[in-house]
Amino acid sequence: MQSTARAHPNIALIKYWGKRNTELNLPAAGSISITLAELSTDMSIEIREDLDSDQLTLNGARADDLLPRLSNCVDSVLGRERPRVDIRSSSNFPVAAGLASSASAFAACVVAADALDDQPRTRAELANLAGRASGSAARSLYGGFVELENEPSSVVVRNLLDAGDWPLEVVVAVTSEARKTVGSGEAMELSRKTSPFYAQWLEQQPDDLDTARTAVAERDFARLGDVAEHNCLKMHSVMWSTRPPMVYWTRSTIGCMETVRELRRGGVPVFFTIDAGPQVKAVCMAAAAEQVERALSATDGVLRTLRTPLGEGARLLEGD
Ligand code: PMV
């Protein structure tokens, strides 16, 4: 028995940074994201009665370091008494470098594992299971613009607009392909415990969510960009003021931010956002995407760029 699912990473415009329950991996606040079409993870899960332990290959190579989290994720869907599985995952973008590879991996994992179960779950249930593995993964179950609401014992994830309802594009400027040294789960716990700005960060989140939700509903690009950049820089202020400091930026990350500001000064509708990694994601109106990509490609230290429209939620490609 085997099944294969495809999921796309998402990037948050209103970020999640901090948990209120580490056991259930529940975020301390809500978030709003967009799902990216051209970046994807395909994951096949095959039941293998002949294996003594699960195995994982990532882009064709054994990836034992990433296996425990994926095994746990499969357990959360199929139960701990399940037979062993062979997991084959392939992504068309760098893993663990701030491109939300865990979001697409765990979203694909829950959808593929669910197809091997007798009782299929609802999308909302799958979003909660994916969110236990990686907070942002819950959002990759949905396409377009997605809001994650933080309820007392679970998360409620819903689609605000479909990808085609407001066809924005994202240009990712890759400034480093190195794997990050501190994972986001560990880093946000350090922020919660040590950053003097953490409480204020959480306190202001509902206002930013309201502003962004309204901007999305009204397709108000300038308003969305304004609140998204502000929210991103607040999250990074919390990261920078963590002990030890969580600084994910490179010199080129700052150069890319300046490129985006310069484009905007010239009237180009674009804003940036940055996650727990050095890449800069420029969100723009579709008509501006080519110009934005050209400007970012020409920015010092940019290794390459990726360009993508918004995409769909996680889905099954094939299943038995
Ligand atoms: O999904 P996690 O636990 O790896 O956290 C990711 C957090 C950020 O990407 C930095 C922000 C977000 O909301 O996606």
Side-chain angles (χ1 to χ4, degrees):
M1 279 228 299
Q2 170 175 330
S3 66
T4 305
R6 173 170 295 168
H8 304 284
N10 68 78
I11 55 172
L13 303 182
I14 303 301
K15 311 283 191 189
Y16 133 71
W17 191 253
K19 303 179 200 297
R20 78 188 141 88
N21 180 325
T22 45
E23 213 172 300
L24 296 175
N25 203 36
L26 290 171
S31 51
I32 290 179
S33 63
I34 46 180
T35 304
L36 308 180
E38 294 293 323
L39 281 61
S40 62
T41 299
D42 286 356
M43 191 174 289
S44 299
I45 304 183
E46 185 181 1
I47 304 264
R48 288 277 301 270
E49 308 278 355
D50 58 312
L51 293 177
D52 293 333
S53 55
D54 293 340
Q55 62 185 33
L56 168 68
T57 48
L58 195 66
N59 294 331
R62 282 288 285 263
D64 293 340
D65 51 332
L66 302 172
L67 180 59
R69 280 181 77 193
L70 274 165
S71 283
N72 279 340
C73 184
V74 177
D75 284 351
S76 75
V77 180
L78 297 178
R80 295 179 66 87
E81 303 305 315
R82 64 177 171 81
R84 297 302 99 198
V85 293
D86 179 25
I87 307 171
R88 293 180 301 278
S89 180
S90 58
S91 290
N92 65 354
F93 60 98
V95 168
L99 281 177
S101 55
S102 62
S104 53
F106 292 116
C109 180
V110 294
V111 172
D114 184 59
L116 300 172
D117 201 11
D118 306 333
Q119 288 188 321
R121 288 164 184 76
T122 62
R123 196 147 281 263
E125 287 171 319
L126 291 176
N128 269 278
L129 292 178
R132 286 206 188 172
S134 166
S136 56
R139 300 185 308 236
S140 278
L141 267 295
Y142 297 82
F145 293 77
V146 179
E147 176 161 11
L148 182 149
E149 288 173 87
N150 198 18
E151 296 294 321
S153 61
S154 63
V155 295
V156 175
V157 190
R158 66 193 175 103
N159 162 265
L160 295 175
L161 281 185
D162 284 334
D165 290 343
W166 195 15
L168 302 186
E169 292 210 10
V170 178
V171 178
V172 181
V174 177
T175 71
S176 164
E177 312 238 43
R179 278 178 174 235
K180 59 189 166 200
T181 48
V182 185
S184 49
E186 186 187 340
M188 61 180 81
E189 270 302 280
L190 289 168
S191 291
R192 182 178 67 79
K193 290 178 185 152
T194 64
S195 169
F197 305 146
Y198 183 77
Q200 276 157 298
W201 154 249
L202 286 188
E203 214 176 276
Q204 293 184 15
Q205 199 70 352
D207 278 354
D208 287 2
L209 287 165
D210 283 349
T211 307
R213 198 182 306 111
T214 307
V216 169
E218 294 174 357
R219 320 291 205 267
D220 185 340
F221 187 85
R223 195 164 180 206
L224 183 62
D226 183 65
V227 70
E229 284 193 359
H230 177 63
N231 188 267
C232 163
L233 293 174
K234 276 194 294 194
M235 179 183 78
H236 284 275
S237 304
V238 171
M239 291 168 162
W240 283 46
S241 57
T242 295
R243 287 187 158 159
M246 298 294 142
V247 178
Y248 292 105
W249 298 357
T250 63
R251 200 171 294 190
S252 176
T253 309
I254 297 176
C256 289
M257 290 159 67
E258 197 39 50
T259 297
V260 168
R261 290 194 191 103
E262 230 170 85
L263 283 166
R264 203 163 51 228
R265 279 195 289 272
V268 178
V270 58
F271 64 85
F272 65 77
T273 189
I274 306 158
D275 293 296
Q279 330 307 4
V280 176
K281 292 102 179 199
V283 183
C284 60
M285 303 282 272
E290 211 177 302
Q291 188 182 358
V292 170
E293 186 167 31
R294 233 181 300 121
L296 283 171
S297 298
T299 301
D300 265 0
V302 171
L303 305 175
R304 61 197 178 98
T305 54
L306 311 163
R307 182 172 146 192
T308 173
L310 308 191
E312 304 170 56
R315 61 209 175 272
L316 200 61
L317 294 184
E318 53 182 80
D320 298 337

